[in-house]
Amino acid sequence: MSSESRLAALHRALADQAGQPVLFGDLVRSVWGDEPPAKPLPALRTLVKRLRRSVDDEIVTDASGYRLVVRPPGPQQLPADLPDFVGREDELGALAASGAPVLAITGPPGIGKTALAIRLAHRIRDRFPDGQLHVNLRGFASGPALTVEQALGRFLRSLGVPPAKVPLDLDEQIELYRSKLRGRRVLVVLDNAAELSPLVPGVDGCTAIVTSRNELAGQVRLDVLADDEAGTLLDRWQIDGSSEDRAELIKLCAHLPLALRIAGAHLADRHLSDYLADLRGDGRLDALEIEGDAAVRAAFALSYKALPDDARRLFGLLSVHPGTDFGVRSASVIGSLSTEDTERLLDVLARAGLVQKTGERFQLHDLIRLFASEQVGGEGPPALRRLLSFYLATAHVAAELAHPTMKRLDPLPVDVEGRSFETADEARAWLDAKRPVLVAAVQIAPHPFASQLADVLRGYLVSSGYRAEMALALTAGLATAHAAGDVVREGAMHNGFGQLHWLRGEYADALKSYGVASELATTDHMRATLLNNTALLKRDMGDLAGAVADLEDARRMSGEHPDLHVTVLANIGTMLGMRGELRKAIELFEEARGLSEEHGLELKVAVAAENLGFAHLELGEFDEARRHLEAALTFYQETMAAPFSTPNVLVNLADIAAKTGDHAQARTLALTSIEEARKVEDGRTEVEALILLGDFAAAVEKANAVGYSVGRRRAQLELARHDRALAEELVREARTSDDRLLESQALLALAEATGDAAVAGEALELARAREQSAVVARAEAFLAQPPANGGSTSS
């Protein structure tokens, strides 16, 4: 069989069981039949590497085989084409025929840049079978523009990158974006860009369509519509009248498509001659011969004046909405109207051409939004407050359901009630759908809404990996809180920045942010909370002694706050466990459980049970460990905490199964744990499951990606058994960080790598002192073996 035939056979064998792991042995038989190569596994690995380069689908290395994951269809993000688009054939033809990597369309507002870009994208989309990306960068809007980081995050997620895997560094994001596009044919539409940016792919096979009011290299700069094109547009809308009247309308609208559209909508139930009389009477008509938006504004004004009073009022109020589009519910809150009245008035505005409707969503052109903002008057701030109240109240309810363990500022009294949700999944779906508008709302919100909303969103943005959005929200919230002299909310924003820096691996900056927050703290409860956060950060930095010291201070401060006190007790127990003081840790976990039961903290009771299960597991007391873990699992599965808490319990139950000889059950539980962990982007638990499955290299890679140093060391322990240098490095790291559980394990790995019985004896002594039964058993087995050739047997 030829090399290419073997490649095809491998692909077929994986594709036949797509999504399922195929055993190494089965793949070898499928490719080589009864005549396998002398070294089948290395030969299979080489063939898999070739296949990965030749197919779009992902091939995942599993514990005992490979799994083919079919790449989903590419993103299809183009907005619908305008059915009444006319003209621009010369520009369309030139752009469609161009082989340039960037097709730039520029011109003044209202000239039809977006319509042409979308028409062009639909005309050439067949050339890009791997998908089309689209974003409105809002470079010229009155509200906040979309940042490069926000847009890159959206694109990367659309290209299949989970939020938690989006790099922290902008340059790394750009490189990942381009690497995802290499070898693909993807069309990227960048609407309302202020300049050419890294969002332009710069990759062979991909093309960007960019619209801008600014001059761009290689641009097609749009002029106003020609007489015949404007006439065709009027024909499409069945606007009757004499040729002279039609010509005058086109002239008064300055041949601008947007002005003609507004006029066309206004003429649906009016005579052209009457409309022209009104248009001539506008005091700005002497400026209509020139460039700019005067003609558009004249058309706006006439349409606006023709609206009934309630529609005019809602139109002006809609300008306060911070997002690119909105639904009926948001509009009804802004207008303080019933759903029925809102739907009726939005229909009036859509028929007048002042609001665009796409499906169930509505939006305002940037120029129309600006015009609307000039009409709103004194009702604007109260309308914005109503909308912010609605978003804040709803986000708080959603956050409590989706992320129940996250500590937040006390709720603000609000003017409007929020939505309610039945399940955590429904709450997360709302947060996903509203994320762009919620972040935009933080950026325009006055104090105290900005910092309050930023704090409410923190748990969601952290867990979902939206770090660019989190930075924008915290920056806006910090600015308004600082300006208002609100030290409580200012401290909350610095606490958020501490968390953000921690996620980015910027430990010094994280400590600084937590320090500033501590200086601003006004209560022992807040100071204890920050000490708890700092301790967890120091743990990840390898400073267990500093972590325990901070937690002991937090313990003294948190006594009057049972919920926080229980959390601190549990964290001290975890640190003591890492230092090998497992019996002391169990005492603290039992104390935490008792306090939780006393104060009705049901979730904390389950967390304490989970901690007890892990401690007994480390001690080798498997029946006791299983009892506690199963109790925790039962509670989690019956509550909203299940998605986030279940994966870690499953991986610990898998560990028990492995250590008690039930390897099939261990594998099943570990795979289930990975599946559940990936749903909530729980990279740490995924690392632990990969270790149990024996995929140590993948575990190290994942641990590095999510900044999980403890898991990285655990994975490296197994690799160190055959790598003396790595084993020595782990011994040094354990002693530097005071991780005593790791120290005995690393010493044993060093003994196994070198055959040194003296080192194994040291590991055994430490493990016995710390009651690490698994390490004790392995060290005793090692010492019971005859020394390996070349191994040291010095004593």
Side-chain angles (χ1 to χ4, degrees), residues 53 94-95 112 188 193 246 336-337 382 407 424 459 480 497 513 525 527 580 585 599 603 667 748 772 789:
R53 291 194 296 266
L95 289 163
V188 180
R246 284 162 56 96
S336 192
L337 298 165
K407 297 300 176 188
T480 59
F497 270 116
S513 291
H525 182 274
R527 281 185 279 269
H599 292 281
L603 179 59
R667 176 178 171 77
L748 181 54
Q772 292 175 271
N789 291 337

Side-chain angles (χ1 to χ4, degrees), residues 330-357:
S330 297
S332 68
V333 170
I334 289 171
S336 192
L337 298 165
S338 69
T339 300
E340 294 76 13
D341 284 343
T342 304
E343 289 174 337
R344 175 179 57 81
L345 293 175
L346 286 173
D347 185 58
V348 170
L349 293 173
R351 282 189 279 110
L354 295 172
V355 169
Q356 293 171 278
K357 182 177 182 181

